[in-house]
Amino acid sequence: MSKTPLKGWNHAPDVPLQVSPFFTWPLKPAKMLAWVWNSWFLLTEKLIILALACVSLAWFQPPLDETRTLAFGWIFELWLRNMALMTLVAGGLHLYFYSFTKQGARLKYDPRPLMKNGRQFTLGGQIRDNMFWTLGSGVFFWTAYEVLMFWSLANGYVPMLTWAANPFWFVALFLLIPLWESFYFYWIHRFLHIPWLYKHVHALHHRNINVGPWSGLSMHPVEHIIYLGTVLIHFVIGAHPLHILFHMQYYTLTAATTHTGFEGLLIKNENRLKLGTFHHQMHHRYFECNYGSLELPWDKLFGSFHDGTVEADARIKERRKRMAG
């Protein structure tokens, strides 16, 4: 296959893009171990968010005895914590990449600036619009789901998983949550691209053709309910409060990091922290491709995989014509 990258991008990584080696044949154990290591260890989104979840549990989480009864006090504490986390992550990334332009255009996918004006945006500008939906609706439903889960855990409706009872599954669940989310995200994303739902719900998120950190969780309230419903899996698969925190913070905060519009954060001119993927950046520009993530190969299986090459672009365009016809 040709490795000719697409034109029209300021930055494009090496192509063709590769899915997880766990789903290629023959299996290559060295590549599989490298994939796990690179996605989890040293300076990674997953490890940073696990650290944030630990800090949240230790200092900013009401005990289960308190969450057994619904009360304004502890619910407001959760909302305040989530507002602070989203503002810190999305706001910090926006300041770094766009306000202070600390990295210039290095590793930036789209050469265009974020839209300062635009009639498609609720508040007249992309950033204001994105902040409104993220902080207003997004943090509200994020908190609502946490309230449901911690109340349910305290009252025995969600099975409790503890380190003392099962240390293996306690650790394994942190590794499995991102895989579950990759599975869940693909299927609800395809669902949201059904024409009626796209027009009335998902189109709000797709106002962002050129994305920024505040774009990730900028969604219609109905989409927030569907998107954040990922955590309901714990009514079947037991969890500890730390797993709930990690699950929700991973799904919400990585929405900001993966929509930065940059491949990564440069430290001493090296990409030390991987952020947004070219895979999802192309979805925002071309729409009918790359509905999932690279952890699970659903797009390859169902013909919607755009690997970043000119050849893949031609196939996607032909597929779009067939669907339109």
Side-chain angles (χ1 to χ4, degrees):
M1 176 182 282
S2 166
K3 294 189 176 183
T4 306
L6 287 172
K7 294 181 179 179
W9 297 94
N10 173 69
H11 167 75
D14 292 338
V15 295
L17 300 178
Q18 301 296 316
V19 298
S20 165
F22 286 84
F23 299 94
T24 57
W25 188 261
L27 295 176
K28 296 180 180 178
K31 285 191 174 182
M32 292 161 68
L33 287 171
W35 178 278
V36 173
W37 177 266
N38 290 332
S39 67
W40 265 99
F41 296 108
L42 300 182
L43 190 60
T44 66
E45 289 175 321
K46 292 185 179 75
L47 215 55
I48 290 170
I49 290 171
L50 180 56
L52 286 174
C54 290
V55 170
S56 298
L57 181 67
W59 288 294
F60 304 103
Q61 176 67 22
L64 288 180
D65 285 345
E66 188 176 346
T67 66
R68 187 172 290 117
T69 304
L70 296 175
F72 175 80
W74 69 264
I75 293 172
F76 180 72
E77 287 176 19
L78 296 189
W79 176 83
L80 200 60
R81 180 189 68 203
N82 295 340
M83 285 287 285
L85 282 170
M86 183 53 70
T87 302
L88 175 69
V89 174
L93 288 169
H94 180 84
L95 288 172
Y96 181 86
F97 285 113
Y98 293 95
S99 297
F100 303 141
T101 59
K102 290 292 186 180
Q103 208 163 289
R106 289 176 295 170
L107 301 186
K108 186 177 188 294
Y109 293 123
D110 200 306
R112 299 167 296 179
L114 300 179
M115 292 185 68
K116 292 184 178 178
N117 298 297
R119 275 191 260 174
Q120 73 269 39
F121 296 113
T122 304
L123 300 178
Q126 183 176 4
I127 299 164
R128 291 192 300 274
D129 177 86
N130 288 177
M131 290 181 69
F132 172 78
W133 292 108
T134 296
L135 297 176
S137 176
V139 173
F140 173 83
F141 285 107
W142 170 9
T143 305
Y145 271 114
E146 284 191 343
V147 169
L148 172 64
M149 299 310 296
F150 292 129
W151 177 84
S152 298
L153 199 59
N155 285 283
Y157 301 121
V158 168
M160 173 71 80
L161 177 64
T162 64
W163 169 264
N166 202 323
F168 173 81
W169 282 112
F170 190 94
V171 173
L173 197 53
F174 292 112
L175 303 176
L176 293 173
I177 283 170
L179 291 179
W180 160 250
E181 294 194 347
S182 184
F183 171 85
Y184 181 84
F185 177 67
Y186 176 84
W187 289 107
I188 63 114
H189 200 178
R190 290 305 299 258
F191 175 67
L192 287 164
H193 274 261
I194 293 171
W196 188 92
L197 279 169
Y198 182 88
K199 178 181 178 182
H200 296 284
V201 177
H202 193 47
L204 192 153
H205 181 67
H206 270 287
R207 293 171 178 177
N208 301 284
I209 297 171
N210 180 19
V211 298
W214 287 108
S215 305
L217 207 64
S218 178
M219 303 172 183
H220 191 284
V222 171
E223 182 169 357
H224 281 132
I225 293 170
I226 297 169
Y227 177 77
L228 297 170
T230 173
V231 77
L232 298 177
I233 188 67
H234 294 297
F235 278 98
V236 178
I237 306 297
H240 184 272
L242 184 59
H243 296 117
I244 303 295
L245 288 166
F246 175 73
H247 198 145
M248 294 302 293
Q249 291 178 12
Y250 182 76
Y251 215 44
T252 52
L253 299 179
T254 59
T257 60
T258 57
H259 287 76
T260 55
F262 286 75
E263 185 182 18
L265 181 69
L266 291 172
I267 301 175
K268 295 184 178 179
N269 291 320
E270 288 193 37
N271 186 359
R272 297 291 188 181
L273 178 60
K274 303 290 186 181
L275 295 171
T277 64
F278 192 47
H279 181 263
H280 190 69
Q281 186 84 22
M282 287 189 290
H283 175 76
H284 274 269
R285 182 178 287 193
Y286 305 127
F287 297 96
E288 289 100 355
C289 68
N290 297 355
Y291 297 98
S293 65
L294 296 172
E295 280 79 13
L296 296 174
W298 296 113
D299 284 297
K300 290 195 77 169
L301 290 173
F302 293 99
S304 56
F305 184 54
H306 196 318
D307 65 8
T309 62
V310 171
E311 293 80 4
D313 201 50
R315 286 196 302 272
I316 292 294
K317 287 177 180 176
E318 182 60 32
R319 178 174 175 268
R320 188 184 299 171
K321 287 179 184 177
R322 290 198 307 270
M323 292 176 67

